[in-house]
Amino acid sequence: AQPVLACVIGAESLGDADNARIGDLDDSFVRTSARGGVRVCKTVVRPNSDSPVWRDCCELGELSAEDTVDFEVYDVDVFHADQLIGRASVPAKSAEGWHELTLPATSGHAAEYRGRLLVSVRVDAPESSGLA
């Protein structure tokens, strides 16, 4: 197992969790976690954007190559529970790139494309709270 640093850089074309109210875009944040790890991180909320930029990194601890880093994008909802916009999972190995966000399939509904998320995962990286 080696230390893993996961960075959320930005997103584009996020699916509308605010039910298409005119002029009301999502107020989104990303929850990052790892299967096999114990650490969960959350970015700051980026208000009113369908293409937010975070540039936020998180040390997920010691992970093996078989582990997966999970990214979940949520819309903040003041009156109800935060709503999942979409989810992406990547292997716990060094890579940077765009990943499709999807909502999982439910009974009677296929998985749904909800935008893209740009992330960077670095293995054996020193602890850091931001991008270089």
Side-chain angles (χ1 to χ4, degrees), residues 12-36:
E12 66 180 22
S13 304
L14 290 181
D16 183 18
D18 279 335
N19 300 317
R21 288 179 281 214
I22 295 174
D24 187 14
L25 298 174
D26 293 326
D27 303 322
S28 54
F29 69 91
V30 181
R31 181 181 176 271
T32 304
S33 61
R35 294 185 194 127

Side-chain angles (χ1 to χ4, degrees), residues 7-129:
C7 300
V8 178
I9 300 165
E12 66 180 22
S13 304
L14 290 181
D16 183 18
D18 279 335
N19 300 317
R21 288 179 281 214
I22 295 174
D24 187 14
L25 298 174
D26 293 326
D27 303 322
S28 54
F29 69 91
V30 181
R31 181 181 176 271
T32 304
S33 61
R35 294 185 194 127
V38 296
R39 181 99 191 262
V40 175
C41 303
K42 181 178 158 185
T43 67
V44 298
V45 174
R46 293 291 183 223
N48 210 32
S49 177
D50 65 353
S51 297
V53 174
W54 289 281
R55 289 189 173 92
D56 196 2
C57 294
C58 167
E59 173 62 51
L60 291 174
E62 300 276 327
L63 300 175
S64 70
E66 294 80 33
D67 290 322
T68 303
V69 179
D70 298 317
F71 300 92
E72 296 177 323
V73 181
Y74 286 89
D75 175 47
V76 173
D77 194 325
V78 176
F79 300 108
H80 305 286
D82 295 337
Q83 186 173 3
L84 179 64
I85 295 173
R87 177 180 293 133
S89 296
V90 300
K93 62 181 184 178
S94 293
E96 180 175 319
W98 288 98
H99 298 275
E100 286 191 1
L101 291 167
T102 57
L103 280 178
T106 58
S107 60
H109 293 72
E112 181 180 346
Y113 173 77
R114 303 287 287 184
R116 300 190 322 154
L117 187 67
L118 180 58
V119 299
S120 170
V121 176
R122 292 186 293 210
V123 176
D124 197 25
E127 287 192 33
S128 172
S129 61

